[in-house]
Amino acid sequence: MEKIKPMLFTTWKTYSKEQFVKDVIAGIIVAIIALPLSIALALASGVGPEQGIYTAIVAGFVISFLGGSQVQVAGPTAAFATIVAGIVAKNGFDGLVVATVLAGIILILMGLFHFGSLIKFIPYTITTGFTAGIAVTILIGQFKDFCGVTYPEGMATIETMEKLKAFIAGISTINADAVVVGIVCLAILIIAPKFTEKIPGSLIAVIVGILMVRFLPLKVNTIGDLYTINSSIPMPKLPNVSFDMVRTVLPDAFTIAVLAAIESLLSCVVADGMINGHHRSNTELVAQGAGNIASALFGGIPATGAIARTAANVKNGGRTPIAGMVHSVTLLLVLVILMPYAGLIPMPTIAAILFMVAYNMCQWRSFVRLVKTAPKSDIAVLVLTFILTVVFDLVVAIEIGMLLACLLFMKRMSDETSIKSWKYTTIHEEESDIEKQDKEEREQLMHISDSIRVYEMSGPLFFGAADRIGTIIVKDMTKYLILRMRSVPAMDITAMNAMDSLYEKCKADGIILILSHVNEQPMRVMQKSGFYEKIGSENFCRNIYAAIERAESLLKEAEG
């Protein structure tokens, strides 16, 4: 079983000065990339710009220090933006702190109980659906700032659809200057990566946006016009907690925890492929939990592993958690020295950065491919999750998406379960008809008495397919019923109850029940329920030949 041991302590054994230099350089470069993203994602989450920096500093450091990946870099991500904005709007910042702390506790418990591998049970259609949905909600949420629109007074603007309605209602207030700045910055973000990989396009866009607003006659809102900039070092602060608040934000906490687990472990898998390494999933979950608790208490927002920043870390030579820690320390210095200048960043520039974030995370190619190639049931889960994320919220989308996926999975499994009677031959059948039967059946059934009936069972016997056991029919001449279970991999208690009812029916009719080739898991269920003792060990046969031989010997004894 995987130990909860931070990767830092493992890599430290072979650490060198050369690698330290590489980690420092990579950490500084990642910090430059993370700076505008952290500010933009904080504003998209409905909090102040410094909250994004706090998150990258505190959560980034803790997760790198305790994490199960060599190169994971954590911080605020787009996946949390809409859910965080909703929590803040409904329950205030204290509600967000409580939800994030609860999510952190859930993540730690998931790691300690070794739930790291269970994340794979969340279907790809759901993760693709809600990721695309989050991208659309971010896009809609930034229309206002990109176009410089003023929402009409009195209109609710918490949910995505409310923001879209407010934007359409206020379309007449569109600011041409804001649109110009937004388009220029968006063009830079698209074109810059083609010419330079060393300097992040977002940083170039921020500088150009500041210069345009500063030196051109453009009337555009900046961060400083809308928010109070705080450059002080984050200090721990406890929220006002009540039982009602905990009960209110608990569903959001579960959503944050599941989302953090999925995104962080996905980032770890991507990083493993880039460095040919292997992360410790349960250790990473514990680190994510600790990082989110620390982030919330120090005034930050939810955090998780960021694939883009992790990839940048690897590309620039980072190979140990030291790089992620240097990234956090660098952002701390930026917070103290340069944060006041963040007020100069135009809001259309922030919107342009978030447009690119939404595009990069939407996975539209994967979405289209799934729609074209996936089974109809999977397409239904994908589209429904996407629509629910956009129209309602992520909590509803994940809950209903998982419920639908589970129901469809059970339907598929029940369709794979079958219970069929063997086809019996008679001396009047043509030889060609006999030849069409399975070889094993052909060898045995020519000699089986009418008093013996065999049923072949296949597929998992669970509550969704337990009713199939009730379809077993015995004729008046039947004295021995054989159930061939070699193709039954698993059984639950509902199916066991149906099997017990079949036994009672057979007992009342004077029929002896014989089981052939019962696999390990169904055998355990039968033994635990007392069914094994009720049937008798002598009526559990290793294969169909032994079962038929058992029935025939009992028949001879009865006739004798």
Side-chain angles (χ1 to χ4, degrees):
M1 187 172 285
E2 179 188 306
K3 294 182 179 179
I4 307 297
K5 181 181 179 181
M7 193 62 76
L8 175 65
F9 302 144
T10 301
T11 57
W12 192 256
K13 296 175 182 178
T14 57
Y15 203 57
S16 63
K17 292 181 180 179
E18 292 78 10
Q19 187 55 55
F20 176 72
V21 173
K22 293 179 181 179
D23 285 341
V24 169
I25 294 172
I28 293 172
I29 292 173
V30 173
I32 295 171
I33 295 172
L35 177 62
L37 286 176
S38 298
I39 293 173
L41 292 170
L43 296 179
S45 301
V47 297
E50 67 276 6
Q51 260 76 44
I53 307 295
Y54 292 169
T55 306
I57 292 170
V58 179
F61 189 92
V62 172
I63 291 172
S64 291
F65 184 80
L66 298 176
S69 170
Q70 290 179 234
V71 292
Q72 176 94 285
V73 178
T77 63
F80 290 124
T82 53
I83 189 170
V84 169
I87 297 171
V88 172
K90 295 175 183 176
N91 304 296
F93 194 76
D94 279 350
L96 175 62
V97 173
V98 174
T100 308
V101 170
L102 289 173
I105 294 171
I106 294 168
L107 282 164
I108 291 175
L109 292 174
M110 288 170 68
L112 293 177
F113 287 103
H114 298 274
F115 281 11
S117 60
L118 295 183
I119 299 300
K120 65 185 178 184
F121 292 109
I122 296 179
Y124 180 63
T125 48
I126 290 181
T127 57
T128 303
F130 75 61
T131 300
I134 290 169
V136 172
T137 60
I138 291 173
L139 193 72
I140 293 173
Q142 296 309 307
F143 285 166
K144 171 182 177 290
D145 290 329
F146 190 87
C147 298
V149 167
T150 301
Y151 286 156
E153 291 186 13
M155 290 193 71
T157 56
I158 298 175
E159 303 294 341
T160 301
M161 290 296 100
E162 293 173 347
K163 291 178 181 178
L164 184 59
K165 289 179 182 178
F167 174 77
I168 294 172
I171 195 73
S172 60
T173 64
I174 192 168
N175 181 350
D177 293 344
V179 175
V180 170
V181 174
I183 291 175
V184 170
C185 292
L186 187 59
I188 291 171
L189 290 164
I190 295 171
I191 297 171
K194 299 178 181 179
F195 295 96
T196 175
E197 293 184 357
K198 297 295 182 182
I199 304 175
S202 57
L203 184 62
I204 299 173
V206 164
I207 294 172
V208 171
I210 291 174
L211 294 176
M212 287 180 69
V213 175
R214 189 78 171 169
F215 297 105
L216 295 177
L218 299 173
K219 295 182 179 180
V220 178
N221 281 333
T222 64
I223 292 178
D225 295 332
L226 304 179
Y227 300 92
T228 302
I229 306 296
N230 185 0
S231 60
S232 60
I233 297 175
M235 299 299 291
K237 181 182 178 182
L238 294 176
N240 295 318
V241 185
S242 66
F243 177 76
D244 288 339
M245 180 177 288
V246 171
R247 185 177 58 183
T248 301
V249 302
L250 190 58
D252 294 320
F254 274 103
T255 303
I256 292 171
V258 171
L259 205 54
I262 294 171
E263 194 164 355
S264 63
L265 295 182
L266 178 61
S267 178
C268 285
V269 170
V270 173
D272 285 347
M274 297 179 72
I275 64 172
N276 194 26
H278 184 71
H279 72 280
R280 297 166 183 157
S281 57
N282 295 311
T283 303
E284 185 64 25
L285 291 179
V286 172
Q288 292 290 331
N292 274 280
I293 292 172
S295 174
L297 295 179
F298 278 84
I301 59 179
T304 186
I307 295 176
R309 275 161 268 180
T310 299
N313 180 32
V314 173
K315 290 179 181 178
N316 288 282
R319 289 296 181 274
T320 76
I322 296 295
M325 295 159 69
V326 169
H327 139 269
S328 297
V329 173
T330 303
L331 286 174
L332 179 62
L333 297 175
V334 170
L335 173 70
V336 175
I337 300 171
L338 300 177
M339 194 60 186
Y341 298 101
L344 302 175
I345 302 174
M347 294 305 295
T349 302
I350 295 295
I353 292 173
L354 288 169
F355 278 175
M356 288 303 298
V357 169
Y359 176 79
N360 290 330
M361 75 175 292
C362 72
Q363 301 180 18
W364 67 269
R365 291 181 181 85
S366 298
F367 194 101
V368 172
R369 178 174 55 82
L370 285 173
V371 170
K372 289 181 177 179
T373 61
K376 291 181 180 179
S377 58
D378 287 333
I379 295 174
V381 174
L382 172 72
V383 174
L384 183 64
T385 304
F386 170 76
I387 293 173
L388 290 174
T389 302
V390 176
V391 177
F392 295 98
D393 58 48
L394 195 59
V395 178
V396 174
I398 291 179
E399 288 174 349
I400 296 181
M402 282 297 296
L403 178 62
L404 181 60
C406 290
L407 290 174
L408 290 172
F409 174 76
M410 288 186 286
K411 175 66 168 59
R412 287 176 187 168
M413 289 298 99
S414 66
D415 290 342
E416 293 300 314
T417 301
S418 65
I419 300 177
K420 297 179 180 179
S421 173
W422 275 12
K423 181 180 178 183
Y424 287 82
T425 62
T426 69
I427 59 174
H428 302 292
E429 287 188 281
E430 297 292 335
E431 184 67 25
S432 59
D433 293 330
I434 298 174
E435 288 295 330
K436 292 177 183 178
Q437 297 180 70
D438 181 83
K439 181 176 182 295
E440 291 182 4
E441 295 180 15
R442 201 164 63 243
E443 290 174 351
Q444 292 294 331
L445 292 180
M446 293 294 291
H447 309 290
I448 293 179
S449 167
D450 290 342
S451 299
I452 302 172
R453 192 161 187 82
V454 180
Y455 270 86
E456 183 93 26
M457 311 176 84
S458 62
L461 289 175
F462 68 109
F463 58 88
D467 62 320
R468 307 286 174 86
I469 296 173
T471 63
I472 294 175
I473 300 173
V474 289
K475 298 183 178 181
D476 294 339
M477 75 281 289
T478 303
K479 297 300 179 185
Y480 306 94
L481 176 62
I482 298 175
L483 301 182
R484 193 181 193 188
M485 300 183 65
R486 62 174 181 171
S487 299
V488 178
M491 170 187 283
D492 71 357
I493 195 61
T494 305
M496 186 66 259
N497 185 61
M499 190 77 79
D500 196 64
S501 298
L502 175 64
Y503 167 75
E504 294 297 337
K505 180 182 177 182
C506 290
K507 184 179 178 181
D509 294 338
I511 299 171
I512 295 177
L513 188 61
I514 301 173
L515 277 66
S516 162
H517 197 148
V518 180
N519 289 307
E520 183 179 350
Q521 194 276 343
M523 181 65 81
R524 288 201 304 268
V525 174
M526 291 179 181
Q527 290 173 339
K528 189 173 182 180
S529 66
F531 187 76
Y532 182 84
E533 290 77 12
K534 190 181 293 185
I535 295 291
S537 60
E538 67 278 4
N539 289 322
F540 282 83
C541 302
R542 65 182 182 278
N543 55 44
I544 190 63
Y545 302 107
I548 292 174
E549 185 179 344
R550 165 72 177 164
E552 288 178 339
S553 66
L554 290 173
L555 179 60
K556 288 178 181 178
E557 288 179 12
E559 291 176 346

